[in-house]
Amino acid sequence: KAGVTQTPRYLIKTRGQQVTLSCSPISGHRSVSWYQQTPGQGLQFLFEYFSETQRNKGNFPGRFSGRQFSNSRSEMNVSTLELGDSALYLCASSPGLIRDSPLHFGNGTRLTVT
Amino acid sequence: AQKITQTQPGMFVQEKEAVTLDCTYDTSDQSYGLFWYKQPSSGEMIFLIYQGSYDEQNATEGRYSLNFQKARKSANLVISASQLGDSAMYFCAMREARTGANSKLTFGKGITLSVRP
């Protein structure tokens, strides 16, 4: 079974631009979540989607948004990029609303904002 | 207060020896789950082991076992027979029932493990 696929692997953007990251979950997984990883803040939860609905959102500004499609694929958008948005963005999927199911992560998209 | 505390900045272990990575957590929930993930330099997060708060036995997965001490709120990862490929960052994470989010994990800062040949 193919794992979680994130594209692109690397991105370089300029301040003020916007960016869209893509995530394809493991086949059959309906829950997708996004995390930001930085050296200073560590891993932080961005949001969670299940059946095309955002179920929970972390403490991030409105510039960070996401959506999930009917095939469970998800995209994350960051508008008006700031230098502090440089990070590794990780997408994770799980089968659904099962408490003890682990999250399966992709390889991440490394975003650099200059 | 930090919810997940991993205080060991870096750990070294000789190949084939066992190593324990410490994790303490803080929650007022009765129902929660604890996870350990491994992150090699490539960046991917690899799930290792899970322990539920109501599980009476310590979780084991191959060379990985979790030393769960609920009263002390600790969930230490034990890696037996270390291999060179175990060199990576290790993260302890917690899912609390109160968040209502299945996928919201709170992660610790991580521990770097280096395995020496």
Side-chain angles (χ1 to χ4, degrees):
Chain A
K1 202 183 246 190
V4 177
T5 304
Q6 290 188 248
T7 56
R9 287 297 309 275
Y10 303 93
L11 266 178
I12 300 176
K13 291 286 186 178
T14 305
R15 268 183 306 175
Q17 288 185 318
Q18 76 165 13
V19 67
T20 299
L21 313 182
S22 180
C23 172
S24 294
I26 291 172
S27 177
H29 284 192
R30 297 170 63 193
S31 176
V32 173
S33 54
W34 291 87
Y35 286 79
Q36 181 196 64
Q37 185 177 23
T38 60
Q41 298 298 318
L43 280 145
Q44 294 185 285
F45 172 80
L46 279 157
F47 24 65
E48 170 191 26
Y49 287 88
F50 179 79
S51 292
E52 302 177 66
T53 302
Q54 187 180 90
R55 286 180 48 83
N56 214 314
K57 191 176 192 299
N59 189 25
F60 279 83
R63 300 185 297 105
F64 291 81
S65 63
R67 58 178 176 168
Q68 186 181 34
F69 302 96
S70 58
N71 61 359
S72 294
R73 192 177 70 84
S74 177
E75 287 182 347
M76 190 191 100
N77 186 275
V78 187
S79 63
T80 319
L81 283 166
E82 299 177 359
L83 295 179
D85 297 333
S86 295
L88 179 67
Y89 290 88
L90 291 161
C91 170
S93 76
S94 68
L97 306 178
I98 304 170
R99 186 173 299 164
D100 60 355
S101 62
L103 303 187
H104 299 271
F105 285 84
N107 289 339
T109 293
R110 187 164 296 280
L111 172 65
T112 302
V113 182
T114 62
Chain B
Q2 288 186 32
K3 285 187 175 280
I4 298 287
T5 303
Q6 297 180 262
T7 57
Q8 300 157 307
M11 292 285 288
F12 293 88
V13 64
Q14 205 67 31
E15 194 178 7
K16 299 180 185 176
E17 292 186 350
V19 63
T20 298
L21 306 182
D22 296 341
C23 172
T24 58
Y25 60 92
D26 182 30
T27 181
S28 55
D29 275 10
Q30 295 301 307
S31 177
Y32 53 89
L34 296 158
F35 301 79
W36 276 91
Y37 283 87
K38 169 186 176 183
Q39 187 177 41
S41 56
S42 57
E44 63 190 304
M45 294 283 284
I46 302 166
F47 166 71
L48 297 177
I49 197 166
Y50 167 82
Q51 180 84 43
S53 59
Y54 291 114
D55 294 340
E56 294 186 354
Q57 293 194 334
N58 287 341
T60 60
E61 288 284 351
R63 295 187 298 112
Y64 305 107
S65 60
L66 202 151
N67 184 1
F68 181 48
Q69 298 187 42
K70 194 170 181 177
R72 297 180 60 185
K73 292 188 175 178
S74 75
N76 299 338
L77 176 70
V78 180
I79 304 175
S80 63
S82 297
Q83 301 172 356
L84 296 178
D86 294 335
S87 294
M89 278 282 280
Y90 287 80
F91 292 92
C92 179
M94 176 171 63
R95 174 192 287 149
E96 296 171 278
R98 72 164 72 184
T99 66
N102 187 60
S103 300
K104 183 177 182 180
L105 300 185
T106 301
F107 284 85
K109 294 294 186 184
I111 303 167
T112 301
L113 175 66
S114 299
V115 180
R116 292 171 168 153

